[in-house]
Amino acid sequence: MQGSAAGVSVISSGGQPGDNPSIYIRGIGSINASTQPLIVLDGVPYSGNINNITQDQVESMTLLKDASSTALYGSRAANGVIVITTKSGKRNSKPTVNMTSLVGVSAPAVELYKKLGAAEYLEYAWQGLKNKYQYTDNNTEAEARQKATNELIDNLKYNPTDKDMPVGIDGKLVPGTKLLWDTDWEKAILNKAAFKQEHRFDVSGGSSDTRYFISADYLNMNGSVKTSNFERVGVRMNLDSKANNWLDVGLKSAYTSSEQIYPTQSGATYASAIQWINSVANIYPLYRRDENGNFVYDAFGGKIYDYGNNGIKINQGRPLYENENAVGALYNNQSRIRRYSFLANGYAEAHITKDFSLKSQLGYEQYARDDYGYTNYLVGAASSVSGRVSQYRNLGKTVNFTNSANYNAKFGNHGLTAQGIFEVYQFTYDYLGAQGTGFLPNVYELNGSTKPESVAGYVNRERMVSYLARLAYDYNNKYFIEGSFRRDGSSKFSPETRWGNFYSFGGSWMISNENFLKGSKVLNQLKLRASYGELGNNSGIGYFPYLSLFDTGWNQLDNTGVLLGSISDYLLTWEKTASSNIGLDFGFFNNRISGNIDYFVKKSVDLIYSKPLPGSTGNTSITTNVGSIKNYGVEFTVNTKNIKAKNFTWNSNFNISFVKNRITELTQKSFLNGSKRWEVGKSLYDFFIPVWLGVDSEDGMGVWQTKTIEADGMVTYGKTKNYTEANSETNREYVGSSLPDFTGGFSNYFKWGNFDLNALFNFSFGSYIYDGQYAGLMSGFSTLGYQQSVDVKNAWTKPGDNTNVPINIVGQNNNNSTSTRFLFKNDYIRLKSLTFGYNIPKELTSSFGVSNFRIFLQADNVWTWQTHKGIDPEQSIAGTTNNRSYNLKTISLGLNLNF
């Protein structure tokens, strides 16, 4: 979808295969409630992992964005709908077998930050110490240099060289110094050649009354972090049959089993892979060393991972992340997620008359997820409790029952369609979890715990009942009008507010069918569309947000104790999204050039949000309906058939979207939310942070902007070295948004003889990213031992230096605190997909019973241009980094056979 459809943003979760991406259609429509679209699989809402649906099973995928097209799905469609239809066989056709197999290799799609090596680190760490002694402790420069030389290794705690004092008073490595190690954490942790294999098989066909599609697939893919992996096995069977001349029945079913090996790949925990690479300097070894730098071996002669907690001598105690080793955690710990998904969707449709039918459809989905984690008993975070095992299992069960009456008739030039639907939906979530400590060697199951820590379990259930009426009319295939009304009742709201009324209406005019355009050789299609509707949203707000519940477990000695949970709004009700759309579809020169342009406005009101309360009330917030936001913009798509000759074809597609986000109502003038400030007229994602003015050339410290509002309203700007002052709400500024000005994609398809080439690019321009990871790498040695970017080489060194990099100096300072210093433009263009294929001539394969034999080379994320280096440009919608693993570029070789 990304780059292929206008108005759609897809953000992958990183380099762990098997994770669901985040999908946004026409902006961000909520604050607390879900912003993800509804996925409808074969007519039934789907809540499972989208990675369970393989591409060979999909017949079509349709995006529904405007209110008129999404009205059928009511309150679950406020964020758009993705309709996926799986394949069926063809009637009156013999069995057709299709096989696809491919193998590939993956690596991070972009390069990581450039960081100091061990030798450089020693020299610049010396500089940081020297500056501390000279400028903070007021020693002379000569005294500071000597002290830095004498005390460098004592401060770093490790010595990766063969010299006791490896850096001289000139700040350079002593001639002849030999490095004993220079740990490349990136190489030790990341997979630069991750293997992938995928195999898909299906058979389809049918008789005059029945058609079938049966498929099986297998995928095994390693991730960007070593030991990470995703393995999936799935089967599907779709059957449709005409039982007699008035009854059609069918069943679509699928089963998928998958396992993810999932080491920590985001966040600031010690074992987080990317966090470790960006934090721990190369001077610290992967394996244990003695005081002289020699390896320390275990009883079996093997190397031992260095956890940095081996004593107080040199090379024994690491000053940061003590008792952890991210590489050791990959192999000594275990983390896996197993998923099991079963789907069954059956229907029966009775054709009462030629124009009138009744249809019943029952969808059933059962989803099981088993999360397991083992933390080593001997080393690492749980060694103090002799290891820990955590296991959590949840069962999700969805039942969706739909009954519809459908009428579709023609009366001369008049067409009439009417539909009535009654739908019931139930989702049950059954959770059970336990955790224990105290494990003997080679014991990994909960039952082996000698000290159970916790156990928890609960069952939540959500129900919804819906009624829908829909009416559509067209005249002479020129004028179209339709309207719908839907009433949804949700158990998430109290009886007084649980019923929501939603509606839509729309119309279109096929201008090209008017007499004044008939027969035109230039313009063959011109259609004007308009729609308006209101939909609800109740996703992502919990199960009973209108109730104040009690929290158990607050016992006092032998007396049972409970606490009243947070207060609630009993009259909490639906979020509502009012969507309007006007669009134009066009086609020129017999659709050699075709496309569409749309203008849309989505206004979400009665937002479900945690409204702040004074702490003196005993609660800091209450979940209620407050505020509204608006998303609006323009989408444009054009398709061209550039060349269509006997042996050569060239088709192109280009799409672009301009989407804006604005807050239109709040309960208070404004309030801070991390690096953002929400106020009417601004976006949810506008950065509001201190403004960095550079470095004071006299002392090398950071300078930030201040501002004073005079009595006449004029603003006077100043500067300060006091970060606390600069970080006050008065002095912060709006300085860009994490939302792009425009996004889109372009693709080209070429076919020459039996060769074909398909290239898809996606792009994003105008957004900003606050790179907290880079900020950590630019701490300027304020804390020794933390890794540094090569950019610290440009730091201020003496009065009069003009540079934008502050002094390298050991000790607490705010030079790398949150400010525009680390706010960057995040424009990028990515070659999302490139496929080159060759179809072996049929005259060479037909004698073997093979109707088609295709060999292809496929590349994903193979090239990226970006304005800010070091991170993958596809970060969270909030525009902040979180040490997430890097997206993968993958090159695969495959073959496809049909017979």
Side-chain angles (χ1 to χ4, degrees):
M1 290 181 288
Q2 189 174 25
S4 300
V8 180
S9 296
V10 181
I11 300 177
S12 61
S13 57
Q16 173 64 51
D19 274 2
N20 271 338
S22 297
I23 304 173
Y24 303 93
I25 297 178
R26 288 184 169 178
I28 315 301
S30 184
I31 297 176
N32 269 16
S34 173
T35 57
Q36 297 300 289
L38 172 69
I39 298 175
V40 176
L41 180 62
D42 292 324
V44 176
Y46 176 71
S47 57
N49 192 315
I50 197 170
N51 291 288
N52 288 341
I53 308 169
T54 64
Q55 62 187 65
D56 280 3
Q57 296 178 2
V58 177
E59 180 71 32
S60 66
M61 181 181 294
T62 306
L63 296 176
L64 306 181
K65 297 182 282 189
D66 66 295
S68 183
S69 62
T70 58
L72 179 64
Y73 303 101
S75 60
R76 289 170 287 185
N79 298 308
V81 182
I82 301 173
V83 180
I84 301 173
T85 303
T86 58
K87 291 180 179 178
S88 297
K90 295 181 179 179
R91 287 193 168 92
N92 299 310
S93 64
K94 64 179 183 179
T96 300
V97 177
N98 178 59
M99 295 176 60
T100 301
S101 184
L102 64 152
V103 294
V105 64
S106 303
V110 299
E111 293 184 0
L112 280 67
Y113 310 99
K114 289 180 169 50
K115 296 175 281 289
L116 296 179
E120 292 177 317
Y121 192 91
L122 290 171
E123 292 179 348
Y124 285 95
W126 177 94
Q127 184 184 99
L129 269 178
K130 173 260 181 189
N131 287 336
K132 172 186 180 297
Y133 295 142
Q134 181 177 352
Y135 297 113
T136 304
D137 298 347
N138 296 317
N139 289 283
T140 66
E141 182 177 355
E143 291 171 338
R145 287 177 175 273
Q146 189 62 60
K147 287 190 69 174
T149 295
N150 295 343
E151 299 177 11
L152 176 64
I153 297 303
D154 289 338
N155 279 273
L156 294 175
K157 307 298 183 185
Y158 278 65
N159 185 359
T161 75
D162 61 348
K163 297 285 192 299
D164 291 336
M165 291 187 290
V167 181
I169 61 173
D170 61 350
K172 302 296 181 183
L173 282 184
V174 173
T177 299
K178 178 184 176 182
L179 281 177
L180 302 179
W181 68 84
D182 185 356
T183 307
D184 187 342
W185 292 111
E186 183 177 327
K187 182 179 179 181
I189 290 174
L190 295 186
N191 226 335
K192 298 299 181 74
F195 180 72
K196 170 188 176 179
Q197 61 171 320
E198 186 172 10
H199 312 285
R200 304 188 292 263
F201 168 88
D202 65 73
V203 57
S204 61
S207 64
S208 59
D209 294 325
T210 301
R211 55 181 181 165
Y212 59 88
F213 174 82
I214 302 171
S215 71
D217 64 89
Y218 173 78
L219 170 66
N220 191 314
M221 185 175 184
N222 292 328
S224 64
V225 175
K226 288 183 178 179
T227 73
S228 63
N229 176 266
F230 178 65
E231 185 177 27
R232 183 195 66 213
V233 178
V235 293
R236 169 172 287 276
M237 182 178 69
N238 293 348
L239 293 172
D240 298 278
S241 182
K242 193 171 184 62
N244 52 46
N245 60 1
W246 60 270
L247 181 63
D248 294 334
V249 295
L251 176 67
K252 299 178 185 295
S253 60
Y255 175 77
T256 305
S257 171
S258 66
E259 180 178 89
Q260 279 181 298
I261 305 301
Y262 207 134
T264 306
Q265 297 180 52
S266 64
T269 64
Y270 292 173
S272 174
I274 303 301
Q275 165 81 358
W276 188 275
I277 292 171
N278 291 332
S279 296
V280 181
N282 293 24
I283 64 168
Y284 298 109
L286 173 59
Y287 299 104
R288 279 184 61 181
R289 305 274 184 153
D290 63 19
E291 295 177 65
N292 299 315
N294 300 311
F295 285 114
V296 175
Y297 297 95
D298 63 20
F300 302 98
K303 295 177 183 177
I304 306 170
Y305 289 115
D306 180 45
Y307 278 76
N309 62 339
N310 309 307
I312 60 174
K313 297 180 180 179
I314 294 299
N315 299 338
Q316 304 298 305
R318 194 189 316 122
L320 73 162
Y321 295 176
E322 186 180 2
N323 196 31
E324 196 52 85
N325 183 307
V327 181
L330 294 177
Y331 299 99
N332 290 327
N333 300 341
Q334 299 179 30
S335 179
R336 71 162 188 260
I337 302 173
R338 289 174 176 163
R339 298 181 178 93
Y340 310 91
S341 175
F342 172 72
L343 300 170
N345 174 15
Y347 74 90
E349 184 172 15
H351 300 274
I352 309 303
T353 69
K354 182 185 72 169
D355 304 321
F356 181 68
S357 66
L358 299 173
K359 183 177 181 180
S360 289
Q361 185 167 4
L362 177 63
Y364 177 85
E365 176 184 356
Q366 182 147 323
Y367 178 80
R369 171 171 169 156
D370 179 1
D371 289 57
Y372 170 86
Y374 168 76
T375 309
N376 194 270
Y377 78 101
L378 187 61
V379 291
S383 59
S384 61
V385 291
S386 300
R388 175 177 285 112
V389 168
S390 304
Q391 192 157 8
Y392 310 99
R393 290 177 180 170
N394 60 73
L395 303 176
K397 184 170 68 175
T398 303
V399 178
N400 201 94
F401 187 40
T402 305
N403 294 281
S404 62
N406 310 282
Y407 180 77
N408 191 346
K410 276 284 189 180
F411 308 96
N413 291 330
H414 304 273
L416 182 65
T417 299
Q419 190 174 39
I421 295 177
F422 172 70
E423 181 179 13
V424 292
Y425 166 85
Q426 177 177 285
F427 174 72
T428 304
Y429 183 84
D430 189 341
Y431 171 86
L432 180 64
Q435 184 171 282
T437 59
F439 287 86
L440 296 173
N442 301 315
V443 177
Y444 307 104
E445 301 301 327
L446 270 171
N447 204 41
S449 169
T450 59
K451 187 178 180 181
E453 274 190 317
S454 64
V455 63
Y458 57 84
V459 176
N460 280 325
R461 181 169 291 124
E462 171 196 357
R463 291 191 177 107
M464 189 160 65
V465 177
S466 305
Y467 305 89
L468 171 72
R470 180 172 173 267
L471 187 66
Y473 168 80
D474 75 271
Y475 173 72
N476 202 25
N477 203 30
K478 294 182 186 178
Y479 314 110
F480 303 81
I481 187 170
E482 67 175 276
S484 68
F485 177 81
R486 179 165 177 139
R487 184 167 168 81
D488 290 330
S490 170
S491 62
K492 292 187 175 183
F493 303 114
S494 68
E496 284 81 353
T497 61
R498 66 180 35 156
W499 287 96
N501 298 318
F502 311 108
Y503 65 92
S504 73
F505 55 85
S508 60
W509 175 23
M510 186 66 77
I511 305 173
S512 54
N513 284 350
E514 296 289 354
N515 292 330
F516 59 82
L517 281 179
K518 276 189 175 180
S520 172
K521 296 182 179 180
V522 176
L523 183 63
N524 60 280
Q525 182 187 6
L526 190 64
K527 182 179 182 180
L528 180 66
R529 298 173 281 102
S531 65
Y532 176 84
E534 293 186 2
L535 300 173
N537 186 8
N538 71 338
S539 300
I541 62 172
Y543 291 90
F544 308 104
Y546 68 95
L547 294 177
S548 293
L549 305 177
F550 288 95
D551 294 333
T552 61
W554 297 89
N555 300 346
Q556 295 293 321
L557 300 177
D558 293 332
N559 300 312
T560 300
V562 298
L563 285 180
L564 180 64
S566 58
I567 61 172
S568 61
D569 178 3
Y570 186 73
L571 298 180
L572 182 75
T573 189
W574 298 83
E575 282 191 1
K576 299 180 182 66
T577 299
S579 300
S580 55
N581 188 95
I582 184 167
L584 187 70
D585 301 332
F586 58 84
F588 296 95
F589 308 112
N590 198 26
N591 280 339
R592 288 290 295 270
I593 302 174
S594 63
N596 55 73
I597 183 169
D598 285 83
Y599 173 75
F600 67 90
V601 178
K602 283 173 54 178
K603 186 174 182 180
S604 301
V605 300
D606 292 334
L607 297 178
I608 298 175
Y609 183 69
S610 297
K611 176 183 174 182
L613 294 176
S616 58
T617 64
N619 292 273
T620 57
S621 65
I622 180 174
T623 301
T624 187
N625 297 102
V626 295
S628 64
I629 56 176
K630 180 173 72 171
N631 294 277
Y632 60 98
V634 175
E635 300 170 352
F636 175 72
T637 300
V638 62
N639 305 292
T640 60
K641 300 175 182 177
N642 306 312
I643 299 176
K644 190 173 183 179
K646 181 178 180 181
N647 290 315
F648 184 69
T649 299
W650 175 22
N651 297 332
S652 299
N653 167 274
F654 174 81
N655 67 82
I656 190 169
S657 304
F658 302 83
V659 183
K660 298 293 184 183
N661 175 271
R662 290 290 180 268
I663 300 171
T664 56
E665 181 185 341
L666 283 176
T667 57
Q668 58 196 73
K669 182 180 178 181
S670 66
F671 59 89
L672 292 175
N673 182 38
S675 60
K676 318 294 190 299
R677 183 172 76 171
W678 293 349
E679 69 174 281
V680 173
K682 297 296 183 179
S683 167
L684 291 171
Y685 297 100
D686 287 345
F687 286 100
F688 187 72
I689 55 178
V691 175
W692 171 259
L693 295 182
V695 176
D696 188 321
S697 62
E698 293 304 311
D699 63 10
M701 299 304 288
V703 180
W704 297 271
Q705 176 183 285
T706 61
K707 60 182 179 179
T708 303
I709 302 177
E710 307 294 347
D712 59 1
M714 294 292 291
V715 179
T716 302
Y717 292 97
K719 58 184 179 181
T720 182
K721 293 182 186 178
N722 185 337
Y723 178 77
T724 302
E725 179 185 3
N727 193 39
S728 68
E729 190 169 354
T730 303
N731 287 319
R732 291 193 190 188
E733 290 272 14
Y734 285 105
V735 284
S737 173
S738 63
L739 300 180
D741 292 333
F742 59 90
T743 61
F746 55 96
S747 64
N748 282 282
Y749 170 75
F750 303 92
K751 190 176 190 312
W752 178 60
N754 290 334
F755 292 94
D756 60 82
L757 176 69
N758 197 348
L760 169 65
F761 294 82
N762 71 289
F763 57 83
S764 174
F765 284 83
S767 68
Y768 284 81
I769 185 82
Y770 181 80
D771 193 351
Q773 297 173 202
Y774 180 66
L777 288 166
M778 293 297 290
S779 64
F781 297 91
S782 60
T783 303
L784 286 176
Y786 282 86
Q787 182 59 286
Q788 300 292 299
S789 165
V790 294
D791 294 336
V792 300
K793 295 179 182 180
N794 301 318
W796 182 96
T797 57
K798 63 184 183 301
D801 281 354
N802 289 313
T803 177
N804 201 39
V805 180
I807 183 175
N808 292 325
I809 186 168
V810 175
Q812 175 61 38
N813 62 73
N814 291 304
N815 289 335
N816 72 327
S817 296
T818 301
S819 74
T820 56
R821 182 186 175 194
F822 303 108
L823 187 68
F824 301 97
K825 291 278 285 184
N826 193 35
D827 302 336
Y828 72 92
I829 303 173
R830 170 164 277 172
L831 180 50
K832 194 69 178 176
S833 176
L834 178 69
T835 304
F836 176 69
Y838 176 71
N839 292 287
I840 296 176
K842 291 185 178 180
E843 54 267 25
L844 299 179
T845 62
S846 57
S847 59
F848 299 98
V850 177
S851 58
N852 185 64
F853 189 177
R854 170 179 163 82
I855 302 173
F856 60 92
L857 185 68
Q858 178 176 306
D860 302 314
N861 298 330
V862 71
W863 173 81
T864 303
W865 172 86
Q866 58 188 127
T867 53
H868 178 55
K869 307 291 186 180
I871 61 170
D872 194 286
E874 296 182 36
Q875 295 289 325
S876 77
I877 199 73
T880 53
T881 56
N882 189 34
N883 294 297
R884 50 187 279 182
S885 59
Y886 286 62
N887 287 339
L888 294 170
K889 61 180 176 184
T890 304
I891 299 176
S892 305
L893 179 65
L895 58 88
N896 174 254
L897 287 87
N898 295 95
F899 51 87

